[in-house]
Amino acid sequence: MAKLVTTTTAPRPKATWLIAAIAAIGFAFDSYTLLMLPLIARPALVDLLHVPQTDPSINQWVGYLFYLPAVAGGIFGLLGGYLTDIFGRRRVLTYSILLFAVSTFAAAYSTSVGQFLFWRCCSFVGVCVEFVAAVAWLAELYPDPKQRESMIGYTQAFGSLGGIMVTAGYYLSVTYANSLPAIYGSHEAWWRYTLMSGLIPAIPLIVIRPFLPESPVWLEKKKAGTLKRPSFGELFTPQFSRTTIVTTIMMACAYAAAFGAIQQLPRIVPGLAEVRTLPRPLIEKTVSAVQSYQEFGGLAGRIVLAFLAVQIVGRRRLLRLFQVPGMILLPLVFLFPATGNLALLKWGIAAVGFLTIAQFSFWGNYLPRVYPTYLRGTGESFAANVGGRMIGTSAALLTTNLVASMPGGTPPIKLAYASALVGSAAYAIGFIASFWLPEPKQEDLPE
């Protein structure tokens, strides 16, 4: 049985807060980077493919843009988790943030859909590696279980703040595009301005990095020569196989609900009767406004989960507080207000965001408690990248391929129905899998 972590050399309080600040910035801007795509995919593809937004190729390429970068991110994110266990949390975290910041900026200058896809893959790789490194770093920083649960939970809440920020950034880009320098001769390519803002997280990181310490738990074992080499094969030994399989399935379901349903909303909103006759800038502003409701709902969900994580001992019980109502509410929102009521859709998607996005924070709190130090980054990366990124985000491709088979008079209505079907299935599978989710054996991190 794994020993518990009992003694570590903790970093100074100022360094502790610097680490928390960098992790929060990373969480905020990885969401900022990922959640750009639902907002910019439609206008970007219209410009890059030179077709109207109702052209079937738009729907096809949206599926590719959601899924192929996720596969790239999953593969390299899995490697990044392994490297995190070998080279340390700080180094891998730093370079992963720089990667997704620089590649997001570079995507703004794409002249073809192929270039855009390449840079999105690079951005996704950086995001996938960053999440694993940041969670492992934070978990090992706080030996007190309640403080650890709170800090991981509240810093992850910045992920939803990133969603709010990108929604605001897109709104500002649309509003003030004519005042900004032209890119390739156009002032209306607001999606390019939004991508350029992805460079922001690199600025504080370059300034703060020299003052950041390494994880005390990892460093202590590294110096003592007691840090075992991680192995993907060990994740499937009798000690860890159930944890690995169940968490991978459940993270896949959480991401499937988000990418297969929620993130399709920016393409559903322009089809509403109240929206489709508006001028193009007003349509984009309306999409941004609806997206902001979902992001504020997600932020509230993450904050509530961070609070409940230290109040509720049972991890299954905590997760089901979000799973059960979400399983009911998501299909209702996409079947009804998403096809005909803008005002009700705003509040409905806020509630769905609250219940769905909070589950991402749950895994950040749960995974460090079920893997030992030498295997923590590897175990987290397998669940997050194979389950969440590679399998879960394929739901976006599934949704776009189901559109043609759905009932409904317009493509946006068909998309809403497909989203309801995929999102409901993801919730149901995740709930069933939760009955096999292992409860952590102790509050302390396994050594």
Side-chain angles (χ1 to χ4, degrees):
M1 181 176 178
K3 296 180 180 179
L4 304 185
V5 175
T6 54
T7 60
T8 59
T9 303
R12 295 188 300 273
K14 287 185 178 179
T16 300
W17 284 107
L18 276 176
I19 293 171
I22 283 297
I25 290 171
F27 287 139
F29 278 92
D30 72 15
S31 291
Y32 190 97
T33 298
L34 291 183
L35 295 176
M36 283 181 182
L37 188 59
L39 291 167
I40 68 171
R42 180 173 38 82
L45 289 172
V46 167
D47 286 352
L48 295 173
L49 294 174
H50 307 292
V51 296
Q53 63 181 10
T54 55
D55 191 275
S57 63
I58 297 289
N59 186 65
Q60 183 181 35
W61 268 101
V62 165
Y64 295 153
L65 286 171
F66 270 107
Y67 184 56
L68 295 179
V71 172
I75 293 170
F76 286 94
L78 193 61
L79 177 61
Y82 179 78
L83 295 177
T84 296
D85 285 333
I86 294 178
F87 296 112
R89 302 6 180 159
R90 178 186 64 178
R91 185 184 303 178
V92 175
L93 178 83
T94 300
Y95 289 114
S96 64
I97 293 177
L98 288 175
L99 175 61
F100 75 66
V102 172
S103 55
T104 300
F105 180 86
Y109 289 91
S110 300
T111 56
S112 69
V113 70
Q115 289 181 21
F116 186 64
L117 176 60
F118 171 78
W119 289 117
R120 282 300 297 177
C121 287
C122 293
S123 299
F124 225 113
V125 168
V127 167
C128 291
V129 175
E130 183 275 335
F131 172 80
V132 172
V135 168
W137 200 14
L138 284 171
E140 294 167 356
L141 187 64
Y142 301 97
D144 178 74
K146 291 188 179 297
Q147 187 183 26
R148 182 183 67 246
E149 295 285 337
S150 295
M151 189 57 72
I152 293 176
Y154 287 120
T155 53
Q156 284 187 104
F158 279 80
S160 286
L161 183 61
I164 294 169
M165 289 162 56
V166 75
T167 301
Y170 186 69
Y171 182 90
L172 292 173
S173 296
V174 173
T175 303
Y176 298 105
N178 289 332
S179 302
L180 297 172
I183 301 178
Y184 296 130
S186 173
H187 288 279
E188 292 189 359
W190 42 71
W191 60 273
R192 296 185 186 273
Y193 303 127
T194 306
L195 282 163
M196 292 174 71
S197 65
L199 192 62
I200 294 172
I203 300 171
L205 183 64
I206 292 171
V207 175
I208 296 174
R209 187 193 181 281
F211 305 100
L212 295 174
E214 183 52 85
S215 159
V217 174
W218 181 88
L219 189 60
E220 184 178 289
K221 287 181 171 292
K222 184 72 172 179
K223 288 181 176 179
T226 59
L227 187 69
K228 294 173 62 178
R229 192 172 186 85
S231 165
F232 289 113
E234 192 164 351
L235 296 176
F236 295 95
T237 59
Q239 183 181 0
F240 299 113
S241 60
R242 177 179 168 186
T243 299
T244 300
I245 293 169
V246 175
T247 56
T248 299
I249 291 171
M250 294 186 68
M251 282 204 77
C253 291
Y255 275 82
F259 282 80
I262 296 175
Q263 300 307 326
Q264 303 299 323
L265 200 61
R267 296 198 299 129
I268 295 173
V269 171
L272 292 170
E274 304 159 73
V275 179
R276 59 175 174 256
T277 58
L278 297 174
R280 189 180 177 191
L282 287 180
I283 291 176
E284 302 304 331
K285 289 181 181 180
T286 303
V287 169
S288 178
V290 174
Q291 186 79 354
S292 70
Y293 276 77
Q294 182 239 297
E295 297 302 338
F296 276 110
L299 176 61
R302 287 183 185 266
I303 292 173
V304 169
L305 186 134
F307 172 76
L308 293 177
V310 298
Q311 309 297 324
I312 298 175
V313 175
R315 299 295 92 178
R316 295 179 196 169
R317 181 184 173 195
L318 172 63
L319 183 58
R320 287 169 186 164
L321 289 177
F322 297 88
Q323 281 184 318
V324 174
M327 191 163 44
I328 299 169
L329 190 60
L330 184 146
L332 292 177
V333 169
F334 280 89
L335 288 175
F336 300 107
T339 59
N341 191 318
L342 179 62
L344 188 57
L345 176 60
K346 292 177 180 178
W347 294 106
I349 202 60
V352 172
F354 177 96
L355 298 167
T356 304
I357 306 305
Q359 294 180 48
F360 294 161
S361 286
F362 171 85
W363 295 111
N365 284 73
Y366 176 87
L367 288 169
R369 291 179 57 184
V370 292
Y371 291 107
T373 304
Y374 75 94
L375 201 60
R376 188 162 293 131
T378 305
E380 290 173 11
S381 69
F382 193 92
N385 292 306
V386 175
R389 314 292 188 179
M390 296 177 69
I391 300 175
T393 56
S394 68
L397 193 60
L398 176 61
T399 299
T400 56
N401 284 327
L402 283 174
V403 168
S405 304
M406 291 292 108
T410 65
I413 291 178
K414 291 175 180 285
L415 179 58
Y417 290 158
S419 299
L421 177 61
V422 173
S424 298
Y427 257 99
I429 295 170
F431 176 71
I432 293 169
S434 71
F435 287 89
W436 285 271
L437 182 69
E439 289 286 356
K441 297 177 181 179
Q442 67 278 319
E443 289 188 333
D444 295 314
L445 296 182
E447 187 179 287

